[in-house]
């Protein structure tokens, strides 16, 4: 059994909604963290909204990080989503 690791972008005052987050300044430390996190990941567990946001943009990204991110199996917690078109899990 693998560990479930949760990461999320959230402001100091607790805002996690993408529309309300202040502009995030990406830096080398954040890039290394996300690359290490991705290297240790075997799958993604996502909610419906995050899945839809990611599925709307990540398939168009290129490069090593995007290739690995797009290739991971995705498991989506949703009662309303009927189709998973972004690299469906192979189970």
């Amino acid at each position: 059994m693998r560990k479930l690791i949760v990461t999320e972008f959230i402001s100091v005052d607790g805002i996690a909604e993408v529309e309300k987050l202040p502009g995030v300044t990406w830096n080398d430390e954040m890039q290394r963290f996300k690359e290490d996190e991705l290297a240790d990941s075997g799958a993604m567990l996502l909610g419906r909204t995050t899945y839809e946001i990611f599925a709307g943009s990540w398939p168009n990204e290129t490069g090593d990080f995007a290739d690995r991110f797009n290739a991971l199996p995705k498991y989506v917690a949703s009662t309303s989503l009927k189709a998973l078109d972004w690299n469906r899990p192979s189970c």
Side-chain angles (χ1 to χ4, degrees):
M1 181 174 292
R2 300 215 34 175
K3 288 189 247 178
L4 178 61
I5 300 169
V6 177
T7 57
E8 57 188 326
F9 290 101
I10 188 167
S11 67
V12 175
D13 57 354
I15 296 174
E17 296 176 54
V18 69
E19 299 86 12
K20 295 180 182 177
L21 279 173
V24 175
T25 303
W26 201 260
N27 60 37
D28 291 340
E29 182 180 7
M30 291 171 69
Q31 184 67 32
R32 280 190 303 278
F33 175 81
K34 295 307 284 181
E35 288 172 357
D36 291 345
E37 176 186 61
L38 185 61
D40 289 340
S41 298
M44 282 192 267
L45 175 61
L46 305 163
R48 180 194 51 82
T49 301
T50 301
Y51 173 83
E52 289 176 334
I53 291 168
F54 284 5
S57 62
W58 275 102
N60 300 320
E61 297 296 323
T62 59
D64 292 340
F65 187 92
D67 292 346
R68 171 84 171 120
F69 196 79
N70 284 317
L72 283 175
K74 283 94 177 156
Y75 299 93
V76 182
S78 173
T79 58
S80 61
L81 193 60
K82 302 298 181 209
L84 300 177
D85 299 325
W86 177 36
N87 297 357
R88 297 173 59 157
S90 57
C91 56

